[in-house]
Amino acid sequence: MLRRLQDFLLPSETCQGDSNRLAYEVLFEDLDRNGDGVVDIQELRDGLKHWNSSFSEDTEKEIFKDADSNADSGLDFEEFVRYLQDHEKKMKLAFKSLDKNDDGVIDASEIVAAVKSLGIHISLSQAKDILKSMDFDGSMTVDWDEWRDFFFFHPAKNITDIVRFWKHSTIIDIGESISIPDEFTEQEKMSGEWWKRLVAAGIASAITRTCTAPLERLKVMMQVQSSKVNKMGLTHVFKQMVKEGGFFSLWRGNGVNIFKIAPETAIKIGAYEQYKKLLSFDGDHLGVLQRFTAGCMAGATSQTCVYPMEVIKTRLNLSKTGEYSGIIDCVRKLLKREGIQAFSKGYVPNLLSIIPYAGLDLTIFELLKNYWLEHYAGNSVNPGIAIVLGCSTLSHTCGQLASFPLTLVRTRMQAVMLEKETVRMMQLIQEIYTKEGKKGFFRGFTPNVLKLLPAVGIGSVAHELVKGLFGLT
């Protein structure tokens, strides 16, 4: 709709003077639904939504911030015209800055170069996906008219704003995720926005983990108790937990799970930046394999640093009412009874589980998202929250399915008390296979899968709400 309206109102750069003003007047009247000569923020929001659903929720706020010069919460015609004229000049400058060879069109290689200049690496195929959203004539290039029409009302003032519009980043935490969020741009680092994004993601993670804590504890109980009782049903274990400690015992161990979010994230991000530098030769940008390697190494580093808290979480999950009065009491008793080595039990299988989890999670997510964009996206490069949620849930499920046997071995090793004989990883794997068969490696997988969809959904909603509190888009 917006494309057809702009073709009628703004046919080309030759439309100047009175013709331009007439075009703006028709556009203004279309927005001014009540005919009072002023476009308020609700009318602008409704108009943008009616023309094109791809506008973000904050687009009208950005337009008002730039256009409402007298701050009266309404745009009169003169303010509206002034904004469009200024905005078109900025769009023209941005177009020329991308058109490096000055041939009047932007191609995929020029988009790759523009994004690269801001420290973000994308492939040629990803750049072509971006082109498709703006390329109305199918030429796989974007001329000035297509560029102007696409960014007509989007408040992008320069290349940085435009690349941020193209860039889609989602941080979803499911309690055991070792994936690394997209690296921050130099502008985000200089402005201090990076720490706001990390804090917002941390708060959203805490909310998610709290909401899914009962299922997490249920999983741990089934993983460990099943070695003693061969048939341990989901409902039976749940009732057993409530009977033993009451309803609030379902959240036992959640405190340490939340407490480790901050150090784990900080170490992960810092290590990821350092590993990227080590893997980048001669200042070249990293490829997919190098980024995956850096991500796995960063995940291993952060897991190594916070691993004692993983052991404490497991012990608290498995504890009976009154066994520990809190985290500090748990640490003190573990040190007294089992020594410092208690905090490294299960470390090896935990480290090994990172590679299959990260590999499948990231790979399947990209494959699913790119498949949807290629076959069903139409003119949009943003798959939308529903598609992202679906892709995330499936990729997390596949990743956890591949790594779950090692996670189970880790949990059982963490649960072994001092008075019992030390069990090595390969010995425990053999025992599980002999006594319980292949199914024994997937005890507790059902509650683990059950928590995925609510975790991804709650995490995404919480992240968007918290971002709003910090003024992030």
Side-chain angles (χ1 to χ4, degrees):
M1 176 64 185
L2 181 59
R3 170 67 178 168
R4 293 195 297 270
L5 182 63
Q6 289 170 335
D7 285 342
F8 171 71
L9 296 176
L10 303 170
S12 71
E13 285 187 285
T14 59
C15 182
Q16 302 290 335
D18 292 339
S19 298
N20 255 343
R21 194 170 181 84
L22 177 61
Y24 292 146
E25 187 174 347
V26 174
L27 189 58
F28 183 82
E29 289 177 356
D30 189 71
L31 287 170
D32 183 18
R33 299 296 174 87
N34 60 8
D36 63 353
V38 175
V39 174
D40 59 32
I41 195 165
Q42 185 59 49
E43 288 176 326
L44 184 57
R45 182 184 293 117
D46 292 342
L48 295 180
K49 187 177 180 180
H50 176 70
W51 287 337
N52 193 329
S53 60
S54 66
F55 288 116
S56 71
E57 294 181 0
D58 294 321
T59 299
E60 70 280 350
K61 295 179 183 178
E62 293 293 329
I63 292 175
F64 255 77
K65 182 179 177 182
D66 291 338
D68 189 14
S69 56
N70 57 8
D72 62 351
S73 300
L75 299 182
D76 59 33
F77 181 63
E78 292 303 324
E79 288 175 325
F80 183 73
V81 170
R82 212 161 31 241
Y83 169 78
L84 291 182
Q85 290 174 339
D86 291 343
H87 185 52
E88 191 164 341
K89 290 176 183 177
K90 292 170 185 175
M91 286 193 294
K92 188 69 174 179
L93 290 173
F95 179 83
K96 288 183 177 179
S97 66
L98 259 75
D99 184 18
K100 298 296 184 182
N101 58 8
D102 202 27
D103 62 351
V105 295
I106 296 171
D107 57 29
S109 63
E110 288 171 326
I111 288 180
V112 171
V115 175
K116 184 179 179 181
S117 69
L118 296 179
I120 304 170
H121 177 75
I122 62 172
S123 66
L124 198 62
S125 63
Q126 289 173 313
K128 288 179 180 177
D129 287 337
I130 292 173
L131 271 180
K132 288 178 183 177
S133 67
M134 299 181 287
D135 179 25
F136 296 106
D137 59 10
S139 63
M140 287 307 295
T141 59
V142 174
D143 58 26
W144 160 242
D145 288 338
E146 291 171 323
W147 177 271
R148 180 202 60 208
D149 291 349
F150 186 78
F151 286 107
F152 188 69
F153 267 119
H154 191 275
K157 309 176 187 66
N158 49 47
I159 293 302
T160 303
D161 286 345
I162 289 165
V163 170
R164 285 172 65 85
F165 175 70
W166 286 334
K167 180 184 174 185
H168 179 71
S169 175
T170 304
I171 302 176
I172 297 176
D173 178 82
I174 59 167
E176 294 182 354
S177 174
I178 54 85
S179 59
I180 306 292
D182 289 351
E183 53 266 49
F184 302 107
T185 64
E186 290 301 320
Q187 181 184 1
E188 288 171 330
K189 292 175 182 177
M190 293 294 291
S191 66
E193 187 176 313
W194 64 273
W195 71 264
K196 291 183 180 180
R197 293 193 176 277
L198 284 182
V199 172
I203 294 173
S205 296
I207 294 171
T208 303
R209 295 186 188 200
T210 300
C211 292
T212 58
L215 287 170
E216 174 65 20
R217 188 175 181 228
L218 185 62
K219 178 195 75 174
V220 173
M221 294 290 287
M222 292 183 69
Q223 285 179 324
V224 175
Q225 291 188 16
S226 59
S227 62
K228 303 173 184 177
V229 183
N230 195 38
K231 292 184 179 180
M232 184 68 71
L234 190 74
T235 307
H236 177 75
V237 178
F238 183 83
K239 289 180 178 179
Q240 188 183 60
M241 288 193 301
V242 175
K243 183 179 179 180
E244 188 277 327
F247 179 73
F248 290 105
S249 69
L250 298 176
W251 280 266
R252 193 172 291 166
N254 186 53
V256 69
N257 202 27
I258 292 175
F259 182 73
K260 73 185 181 73
I261 292 174
E264 186 176 15
T265 303
I267 295 168
K268 192 185 299 180
I269 297 297
Y272 185 52
E273 292 297 324
Q274 294 303 314
Y275 288 132
K276 281 198 305 177
K277 292 177 183 178
L278 290 174
L279 294 171
S280 177
F281 301 100
D282 301 323
D284 291 338
H285 287 282
L286 298 178
V288 175
L289 180 60
Q290 290 168 306
R291 286 175 182 273
F292 169 69
T293 304
C296 286
M297 292 170 68
T301 301
S302 64
Q303 285 281 299
T304 300
C305 295
V306 303
Y307 190 74
M309 285 190 274
E310 288 284 351
V311 178
I312 296 168
K313 185 196 78 171
T314 299
R315 289 299 181 89
L316 288 171
N317 280 157
L318 297 170
S319 66
K320 295 181 179 180
T321 302
E323 186 175 350
Y324 304 114
S325 60
I327 297 173
I328 301 300
D329 185 51
C330 180
V331 173
R332 184 174 56 82
K333 288 180 178 178
L334 283 177
L335 282 172
K336 184 178 180 180
R337 291 188 309 219
E338 305 175 41
I340 193 70
Q341 66 269 23
F343 298 102
S344 61
K345 289 182 177 180
Y347 174 74
V348 174
N350 180 72
L351 206 61
L352 293 176
S353 68
I354 289 174
I355 296 175
Y357 179 88
L360 277 176
D361 184 19
L362 298 175
T363 302
I364 292 176
F365 177 78
E366 287 301 318
L367 286 174
L368 291 172
K369 187 182 72 171
N370 291 335
Y371 180 85
W372 188 90
L373 288 172
E374 183 179 349
H375 292 86
Y376 304 105
N379 291 328
S380 175
V381 294
N382 188 339
I385 188 65
I387 300 302
V388 170
L389 285 178
C391 294
S392 297
T393 303
L394 288 173
S395 64
H396 286 324
T397 302
C398 293
Q400 294 211 357
L401 185 64
S403 64
F404 197 82
L406 286 168
T407 302
L408 181 138
V409 172
R410 176 202 70 183
T411 303
R412 291 196 183 181
M413 291 180 72
Q414 289 174 340
V416 174
M417 300 294 184
L418 179 65
E419 59 267 18
K420 297 187 178 181
E421 183 182 351
T422 302
V423 180
R424 298 187 180 278
M425 183 179 73
M426 294 308 298
Q427 180 186 346
L428 183 57
I429 291 174
Q430 187 175 359
E431 285 183 5
I432 295 171
Y433 183 77
T434 302
K435 295 179 181 179
E436 305 173 43
K438 295 178 183 178
K439 292 182 179 180
F441 292 102
F442 294 92
R443 300 281 188 179
F445 189 69
T446 301
N448 199 55
V449 171
L450 289 176
K451 80 171 185 177
L452 276 175
L453 188 56
V456 173
I458 293 168
S460 299
V461 173
H463 192 220
E464 289 302 314
L465 292 175
V466 176
K467 281 200 305 182
L469 295 175
F470 283 90
L472 301 172
T473 57

